């Protein structure tokens, strides 16, 4: 027998800097490299400043503009980006730098993972949602055959830079869009629950950098345990079985933040009604939801039942049972459920 032991040492460095101009010191290793900066139209100003800073630091920086929105996450755009890298003679020691939200990081990470069998990539998140979730963990993807994230790889970013000035200038709607994922981490992690429940709501915006650090530490623990999402990492999908079904049913006209909010609320009700959590934990979670989500209307039993067909295609399901990641007393746990209605009535 021939035994080939393959181990690849992988890590992602997450660095926190104040502004784009500090990139040349923080990423001095980019000097002498070609760097393709991927950025959506809405990030043109930050992209120009970033290109300038990279050039000052001795890198050869190239701007690759994308339209805003999930629609750009296609295999056609992956091929176009790959052609751009070829035209500019990017080699295996050159790299991609994603400046954007989850869409840009997913697409750029996907191309980085396949171009010449893999080149390095960095992420600079420009949305709160991306800063607390997609910027680490290495899930890369394009949408395909009408399915979200249908083609993808696990391929870790070499570095993630959280830039204070970008985070501080986020508009209110992008801050709101990150809240549900942040609250999700409080369902998973008791210490973070305590932190969020004690944080005065008026300080939420000023504390964003600390919040991002805490969320990335929690996510990082699960990614270290289970990079390929075969078990432990499923915890990060708390609230998401319902959320993904809501998004699919609405043909993605309901945004991810609203869907995750409704997912967390509904899945907490399921956990309570099935005896998975007691009254105390139920009330503590509900109190946090009211604090961060304000007044909300819960889904009716009919609305939940209508979501069932959309839950049936979830990758985590087994033997016809739907996989939920429900709150348990101190964190969350995967549970297979075959008849949601009997639990809720
Ligand atoms: N967004 C969940 C994960 O990265 O596994």
């Amino acid at each position: 027998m021939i035994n080939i032991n393959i181990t690849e040492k992988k890590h992602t460095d997450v660095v926190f800097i104040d502004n784009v101009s500090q990139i040349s010191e923080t990423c001095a290793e980019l000097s002498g490299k070609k760097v393709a900066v991927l950025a959506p139209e809405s990030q043109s100003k930050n992209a120009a400043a970033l290109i300038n800073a990279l050039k000052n630091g001795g890198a050869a920086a190239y701007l690759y503009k994308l339209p805003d929105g999930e629609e750009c996450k296609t295999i056609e755009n992956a091929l176009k980006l790959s052609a751009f890298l070829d035209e500019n003679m990017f080699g295996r020691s050159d790299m991609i730098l994603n400046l954007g939200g989850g869409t840009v990081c997913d697409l750029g990470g996907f191309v980085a993972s396949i171009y010449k069998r893999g080149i390095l990539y960095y992420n600079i998140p420009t949305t709160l949602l991306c800063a607390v979730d997609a910027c680490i963990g290495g899930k890369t993807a394009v949408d395909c055959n009408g399915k979200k994230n249908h083609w993808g790889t696990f391929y870790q970013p070499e570095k993630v830079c959280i830039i204070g000035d970008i985070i501080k200038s986020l508009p209110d709607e992008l801050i709101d869009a990150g809240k549900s994922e942040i609250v999700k981490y409080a369902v998973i992690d008791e210490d973070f629950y305590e932190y969020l429940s004690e944080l005065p709501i008026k300080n939420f915006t000023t504390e964003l950098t600390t919040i991002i650090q805490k969320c990335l530490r929690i996510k990082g623990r699960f990614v270290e345990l289970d990079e390929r999402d075969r078990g432990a990492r499923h915890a990060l999908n708390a609230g998401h079985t319902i959320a993904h079904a809501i998004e699919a049913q609405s043909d993605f006209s309901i945004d991810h933040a609203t869907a995750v909010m409704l997912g967390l609320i509904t899945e907490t009700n399921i956990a309570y009604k099935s005896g998975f959590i007691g009254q105390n934990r139920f009330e503590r979670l509900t109190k946090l939801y009211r604090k961060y989500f304000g007044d909300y209307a819960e889904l009716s039993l009919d609305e939940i039942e209508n979501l069932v067909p959309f839950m049936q295609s979830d990758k985590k399901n087994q033997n016809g049972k739907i996989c939920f990641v429900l709150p348990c007393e101190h964190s969350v746990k995967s549970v297979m459920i075959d008849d949601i209605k009997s639990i809720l009535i």
Side-chain angles (χ1 to χ4, degrees):
M1 179 169 80
I2 301 174
N3 202 332
I4 303 171
N5 290 309
I6 299 165
T7 52
E8 193 187 356
K9 218 168 158 39
K10 287 184 263 182
H11 68 276
T12 299
D13 289 331
V14 182
V15 294
F16 290 78
I17 58 177
D18 293 331
N19 54 59
V20 171
S21 65
Q22 288 170 347
I23 208 89
S24 46
E25 303 147 43
T26 318
C27 303
E29 68 281 5
L30 300 185
S31 183
K33 287 188 191 295
K34 289 181 182 169
V35 182
V37 174
L38 245 68
E41 290 287 345
S42 58
Q43 285 297 322
S44 297
K45 209 166 145 221
N46 285 328
L50 182 61
I51 299 258
N52 214 7
L54 288 167
K55 286 185 176 162
N56 287 341
Y62 299 70
L63 178 61
Y64 189 88
K65 276 194 202 167
L66 289 166
D68 280 274
E70 174 83 14
E71 297 72 35
C72 78
K73 223 174 84 180
T74 60
I75 195 69
E76 291 77 17
N77 276 334
L79 292 173
K80 279 188 201 155
L81 172 58
S82 163
F84 174 85
L85 299 177
D86 275 335
E87 276 155 29
N88 291 292
M89 291 191 289
F90 272 57
R92 292 197 69 196
S93 58
D94 297 320
M95 55 158 309
I96 293 176
L97 198 162
N98 300 314
L99 174 75
T103 301
V104 173
C105 293
D106 282 3
L107 175 67
F110 179 69
V111 173
S113 73
I114 54 174
Y115 183 75
K116 299 198 172 178
R117 295 210 175 90
I119 59 172
L120 299 182
Y121 76 107
Y122 287 13
N123 287 333
I124 301 182
T126 60
T127 66
L128 183 56
L129 183 57
C130 183
V132 295
D133 185 12
C135 71
I136 66 161
K139 281 188 179 175
T140 84
V142 290
D143 301 337
C144 196
N145 298 338
K147 297 189 178 99
K148 259 189 107 173
N149 301 329
H150 196 44
W151 282 15
T153 56
F154 288 95
Y155 191 69
Q156 303 299 330
E158 191 74 4
K159 202 177 245 186
V160 171
C161 302
I162 309 288
I163 302 186
D165 280 355
I166 292 181
I167 301 300
K168 273 189 226 141
S169 62
L170 286 173
D172 288 348
E173 65 268 21
L174 284 186
I175 293 181
D176 284 343
K179 270 187 189 157
S180 329
E181 289 291 341
I182 291 170
V183 169
K184 175 197 79 178
Y185 289 111
V187 180
I188 298 173
D189 185 279
E190 273 289 305
D191 289 343
F192 190 55
Y193 176 94
E194 292 300 329
Y195 171 83
L196 271 195
S197 38
E198 278 160 29
L199 182 73
I201 197 79
K202 66 178 171 34
N203 294 359
F204 184 79
T205 314
T206 51
E207 291 304 306
L208 278 182
T209 304
T210 308
I211 292 171
I212 293 168
Q213 275 171 358
K214 288 179 184 289
C215 292
L216 291 183
R217 283 214 173 90
I218 299 168
K219 175 162 179 177
R221 275 201 328 257
F222 288 98
V223 175
E224 282 173 357
L225 278 173
D226 174 28
E227 183 197 6
R228 302 244 151 188
D229 205 11
R230 308 237 187 255
R233 186 170 173 168
H234 291 176
L236 300 171
N237 276 317
H240 281 60
T241 301
I242 295 277
H244 288 152
I246 292 174
E247 287 177 297
Q249 187 196 42
S250 75
D251 206 11
F252 296 91
S253 65
I254 296 184
D255 63 274
H256 190 63
T258 307
V260 173
M261 176 190 82
L262 292 168
L264 288 171
I265 295 162
T266 311
E267 293 187 19
T268 300
N269 285 339
I270 296 171
Y272 181 50
K273 293 201 169 145
S274 58
F276 221 62
I277 56 173
Q279 190 168 349
N280 184 38
R281 169 85 160 140
F282 176 72
E283 282 172 3
R284 274 161 54 80
L285 289 176
T286 306
K287 195 168 161 205
L288 194 74
Y289 300 157
R290 293 267 174 228
K291 175 174 175 182
Y292 286 94
F293 303 150
D295 284 332
Y296 51 76
E298 294 184 11
L299 296 182
S300 67
L301 189 56
D302 278 351
E303 283 170 323
I304 297 169
E305 269 204 281
N306 290 338
L307 292 172
V308 170
F310 295 91
M311 295 182 216
Q312 269 152 352
S313 56
D314 195 295
K315 291 195 266 309
K316 296 182 299 306
N317 294 348
Q318 277 171 22
N319 307 326
K321 294 188 180 180
I322 297 169
C323 177
F324 286 87
V325 182
L326 297 182
C328 56
E329 281 305 334
H330 298 291
S331 182
V332 295
K333 208 166 181 258
S334 295
V335 198
M336 296 294 169
I337 295 180
D338 56 1
D339 184 6
I340 193 91
K341 192 175 174 188
S342 66
I343 293 172
L344 289 168
I345 47 176

